[in-house]
Amino acid sequence: MKYTLKYIFSLCLVLISLLASAQETTKKDSIPPKKERYGLRVGADLYKLTRSFYDKNYKGSEIVGDFRVTRRHYLAAEIGNEAFTVDNPHLNFTTKGSYVKVGFDYNSYQNWSGMENMIYVGLRYGVSSFSQTLNTYNIYNPNPYFGEIPTQVVNEKFNGLSAQWIEVVAGVKVEVINNIYIGFSIRLKDLVTNNKPDNFDNLYIPGFSRTYAGSFGAGFNYTLSYFIPLYKSTVKPKKGK
């Protein structure tokens, strides 16, 4: 009788252990795997659009887009056109052209479940095709007391110009309404090639903006975009969890 009770007690312990293990497995299996959305985000640069209304010397637009390829990596591109007239006391010229920039972004922000915001850094390669029109210029007069030199009206146009550059990007994108994002980024740029006209310089390049110190440039954009979800992917748990 003594050994029978001992056997029954041991068997009960084994059954309780197996039952607890089965409950734990069922609990783990009942939690659905985490999934994240992948898709295309398309929008426009609001700064260029609004500037076209309040700045009589500027007309421009830019379409922006990115496509999520991994949890943190995005393919990115911008395409646009600009027409800008620079008018200063010594020079008046107009630049017109279009451009495209392609590259990638890396999202460093660790989102909570269900969030898809971005704090990112990225890289772009830009290509621009444009024309320059030298409207007027003033010849510097070192002796203004001997008479004013009149403004020279030339209207000389230089076609078939081009430039290429590398662009470092840092910015944020935040979801404000379901699938609608606002974003802001700053850009530092350096020219790789710059096809200049004879006896003139490319002081403004569409997509690159003003040139400083020969090859350096800077800029920013303010975007509104819409996310188009295409599919979902299961997030693989980290090792040890």
Side-chain angles (χ1 to χ4, degrees):
M1 184 70 178
K2 178 180 178 181
Y3 292 105
T4 302
L5 291 175
K6 185 176 180 181
Y7 174 76
I8 294 173
F9 181 73
S10 299
L11 182 60
C12 288
L13 288 178
V14 172
L15 290 175
I16 291 172
S17 177
L18 291 174
L19 180 61
S21 177
Q23 287 178 336
E24 182 66 23
T25 302
T26 303
K27 183 178 178 181
K28 289 182 179 180
D29 292 342
S30 65
I31 300 175
K34 182 181 177 182
K35 292 188 175 183
E36 293 184 347
R37 301 190 304 171
Y38 286 68
L40 177 66
R41 183 165 29 207
V42 181
D45 184 351
L46 296 182
Y47 171 70
K48 287 183 172 61
L49 291 177
T50 55
R51 185 181 177 186
S52 298
F53 288 101
Y54 68 79
D55 187 347
K56 65 178 182 180
N57 291 325
Y58 180 86
K59 295 293 180 184
S61 63
E62 180 179 279
I63 298 173
V64 300
D66 63 62
F67 183 81
R68 189 179 188 183
V69 292
T70 72
R71 289 196 69 194
R72 294 186 178 274
H73 294 87
Y74 296 72
L75 296 177
E78 295 100 26
I79 183 170
N81 61 81
E82 289 184 299
F84 184 48
T85 297
V86 175
D87 188 9
N88 61 46
H90 302 289
L91 185 66
N92 182 295
F93 69 91
T94 301
T95 301
K96 293 182 180 181
S98 58
Y99 61 91
V100 60
K101 295 183 280 186
V102 295
F104 68 90
D105 293 327
Y106 174 80
N107 184 17
S108 62
Y109 183 67
Q110 183 65 46
N111 281 292
W112 293 355
S113 179
M115 295 176 61
E116 296 166 331
N117 299 325
M118 295 180 66
I119 300 176
Y120 65 93
V121 293
L123 195 66
R124 304 283 189 276
Y125 194 85
V127 179
S128 180
S129 177
F130 56 98
S131 66
Q132 302 268 25
T133 301
L134 177 59
N135 302 314
T136 63
Y137 68 92
N138 291 329
I139 299 175
Y140 174 67
N141 183 9
N143 300 300
Y145 299 104
F146 293 95
E148 190 71 25
I149 298 177
T151 298
Q152 308 297 309
V153 179
V154 289
N155 289 323
E156 185 176 1
K157 190 172 184 178
F158 306 94
N159 293 312
L161 305 178
S162 63
Q164 300 180 30
W165 65 91
I166 294 175
E167 189 170 306
V168 178
V169 184
V172 297
K173 290 179 182 177
V174 179
E175 187 176 21
V176 290
I177 306 176
N178 188 31
N179 293 334
I180 296 179
Y181 292 77
I182 59 172
F184 177 80
S185 70
I186 57 176
R187 285 119 187 284
L188 299 178
K189 315 171 187 183
D190 191 62
L191 284 171
V192 176
T193 63
N194 185 13
N195 178 21
K196 301 179 183 180
D198 295 334
N199 302 320
F200 194 54
D201 199 355
N202 293 326
L203 303 178
Y204 189 95
I205 299 172
F208 185 90
S209 192
R210 291 182 181 271
T211 56
Y212 299 93
S215 65
F216 175 75
F220 68 94
N221 72 356
Y222 180 71
T223 61
L224 178 67
S225 55
Y226 182 79
F227 177 70
I228 305 170
L230 299 178
Y231 64 94
K232 291 183 179 181
S233 179
T234 301
V235 178
K236 294 182 180 178
K238 294 181 180 180
K239 293 182 179 180
K241 294 189 178 180

